Amino acid sequence: NAGVTQTPKFQVLKTGQSMTLQCAQDMNHEYMSWYRQDPGMGLRLIHYSVGAGITDQGEVPNGYNVSRSTTEDFPLRLLSAAPSQTSVYFCASRTLAGGYTDTQYFGPGTRLTVL
Amino acid sequence: GENVEQHPSTLSVQEGDSAVIKCTYSDSASNYFPWYKQELGKGPQLIIDIRSNVGEKKDQRIAVTLNKTAKHFSLHITETQPEDSAVYFCAASIGVGGQNFVFGPGTRLSVLP
């Protein structure tokens, strides 16, 4: 099992550019989510999904879109990048088979800089 | 909404000493509290968790305690080792059935040899 994979590891964008952060998991997990991590603020939930075709907003969804067409993939799209979106982005997944207390697995992160 | 506070923000201990990190939460509906360890350049990794119907849980050198009445929970690491140096995050469950989490701001633990 590769676990949760994210690409790219690093990305630099100019203000106004768009891009997609990729996330994939090979554990057949129903639940997937995206967080951003900023210094001194912990991790904040951007969007999440409890299964293919189902997505919902988290705490900080503005400026980001997601879709979930397969169980394995959960891409995060930045439509028009802004300097405030400079951050480290983490994708996470977990099974819902045992309720909501099963282990959540995180990917290695994508460090995004918007100039 | 839920708010999770975490203290201290940085903690330095001598190898072999104990370390304690404390978190408080605001939403009495939260019922699951995981702790994560994040090493430099990596994603967070679950190290221990506790459910609201349990007051304490131990796993070798790591323990977590929960006081539901006071809405606080703590991570205890005994006999610290240099490899325990990392950033630690607490979290509290929120949402329908507790499906999502609110994280604390993190504690940077340094274990000095």
Side-chain angles (χ1 to χ4, degrees):
Chain A
N1 281 355
V4 181
T5 58
Q6 292 183 239
T7 56
K9 288 188 187 300
F10 302 94
Q11 183 70 49
V12 178
L13 292 178
K14 294 182 179 178
T15 296
Q17 287 185 317
S18 62
M19 80 158 296
T20 299
L21 279 63
Q22 301 292 345
C23 174
Q25 53 91 9
D26 60 359
M27 297 173 280
N28 202 32
H29 286 169
E30 301 90 340
Y31 181 95
M32 296 185 73
S33 57
W34 278 101
Y35 291 88
R36 60 178 288 172
Q37 184 176 35
D38 302 294
M41 300 187 70
L43 292 98
R44 292 183 292 167
L45 183 65
I46 304 171
H47 285 286
Y48 66 97
S49 168
V50 296
I54 306 169
T55 63
D56 207 344
Q57 296 181 353
E59 179 185 357
V60 288
N62 292 343
Y64 307 95
N65 274 1
V66 292
S67 60
R68 183 102 179 264
S69 56
T70 66
T71 299
E72 295 78 18
D73 300 298
F74 191 44
L76 178 72
R77 298 183 186 86
L78 281 68
L79 304 175
S80 178
S84 60
Q85 294 178 304
T86 293
S87 189
V88 181
Y89 292 85
F90 289 99
C91 180
S93 77
R94 73 182 190 277
T95 180
L96 298 180
Y100 290 110
T101 58
D102 282 300
T103 301
Q104 180 161 239
Y105 296 90
F106 283 84
T110 294
R111 184 174 293 275
L112 176 67
T113 301
V114 183
L115 303 175
Chain B
E2 175 72 284
N3 182 48
V4 176
E5 296 185 356
Q6 183 173 347
H7 299 281
S9 57
T10 61
L11 178 60
S12 293
V13 299
Q14 291 294 133
E15 182 177 356
D17 286 350
S18 296
V20 180
I21 302 170
K22 298 182 179 182
C23 288
T24 61
Y25 62 99
S26 59
D27 189 350
S28 57
S30 295
N31 61 7
Y32 174 62
F33 307 91
W35 284 89
Y36 293 88
K37 175 183 181 182
Q38 185 178 28
E39 297 176 339
L40 195 61
K42 296 185 177 180
Q45 183 176 16
L46 180 74
I47 55 171
I48 196 167
D49 56 13
I50 192 166
R51 302 184 188 190
S52 60
N53 59 350
V54 175
E56 183 175 357
K57 182 177 178 180
K58 275 184 107 170
D59 183 3
Q60 299 183 341
R61 297 186 297 110
I62 295 174
V64 57
T65 58
L66 171 65
N67 183 325
K68 281 197 318 181
T69 303
K71 296 196 187 73
H72 65 71
F73 56 113
S74 300
L75 178 71
H76 305 254
I77 306 174
T78 59
E79 300 172 24
T80 53
Q81 301 167 3
E83 52 265 36
D84 294 329
S85 295
V87 178
Y88 291 81
F89 293 96
C90 62
S93 63
I94 59 169
V96 176
Q99 63 189 355
N100 295 325
F101 299 98
V102 173
F103 283 77
T107 296
R108 182 173 298 278
L109 173 65
S110 299
V111 180
L112 309 173

